[in-house]
Amino acid sequence: VKPADKPYTVFTPYMRKWKEKFHESGGLGELLNKEEPTANWHPDKGFLPSLEQIGFTDNGTIEFPEIQIDPEQLQQYHKTRDFPGLEGTTKLGVHLRFGTVSIRKLVDYALANNETFLNELIWREFYMMILWHFPQVVTESFRPAYDRIPWRNETADFDLWCQGNTGFPMVDAGMRELNATGYMHNRVRMVVASFLTKHLLIDWRWGEAYFAEKLLDFELASNNGGWQWAAGCGCDAAPYFRVFNPSLQAKKFDPDSEYINKWVPEWNSEDYQQPMVNHSFARKRAIETYKGALTEF
């Protein structure tokens, strides 16, 4: 918290204070050296229930990443993490969600290999802190004024977005990856979320709920924070007129179309759907809609 015991609502000052407190406390110190509390537990002795006993079933179809951290990959993380066609991220989000990897060990790896990766772990805790201090964000915009936005909420448009049939290759690739694997690259998550809320003017809560249903690495705090960030109604200093251009995002972060070709092989043919909305028109409409709602009162 701030010196006056008020919670931070902007990430960068929070991140700086996080690191200050972390180093003041001696960092991880003995935390990684203490005997694990489960060291003397064994399922055969009845101390720990099996996965089946706590409600999990193996459907035999979903693959999830092994807990492997490649130091060389991590050292290049800041250079590769925005490119969905590369193996530039750890994909350990699902393990963080279920507690099958130690957050302290990941912080230890980050400290030794890449500060950008450490910052991403701090982002995760930032959104947890926001959810703790502002629980209303589960159902309301962090910035109350944004709940006045008159969303279009066209069901047919939402369905096309869910299916990955918008006519925007980067958006469609992301949604098809999500539907097929339960995963979506983080850069692409921002693009598809911006498209839904700004291009289609569909309530961020619709997209948030769809991600919650599909993502294997779903965590309420991060999912909510990410969607509010994309919609412009969260704890973010960027103004509402930030509207991602899906085509420019694709050119910048998937320049050789490796990611798009994998998930939307027909994108460059006559079989591919025409864009469901014109970008320039949609951007202008979104800005005017937001501006009208925010300046009305």
Side-chain angles (χ1 to χ4, degrees), residues 113-140:
N113 292 284
N114 196 291
E115 186 170 11
T116 301
F117 185 69
L118 174 63
N119 291 343
E120 291 302 304
L121 297 177
I122 299 174
W123 263 110
R124 179 172 175 268
E125 293 200 3
F126 174 72
Y127 281 141
M128 289 180 176
M129 180 273 299
I130 290 294
L131 181 60
W132 170 262
H133 288 290
F134 305 95
Q136 68 272 18
V137 298
V138 175
T139 56
E140 304 170 11

Side-chain angles (χ1 to χ4, degrees), residues 48-59 98:
L48 291 175
S50 67
L51 289 174
E52 289 75 15
Q53 288 174 320
I54 60 176
F56 287 94
T57 58
D58 183 0
N59 67 10
F98 289 106

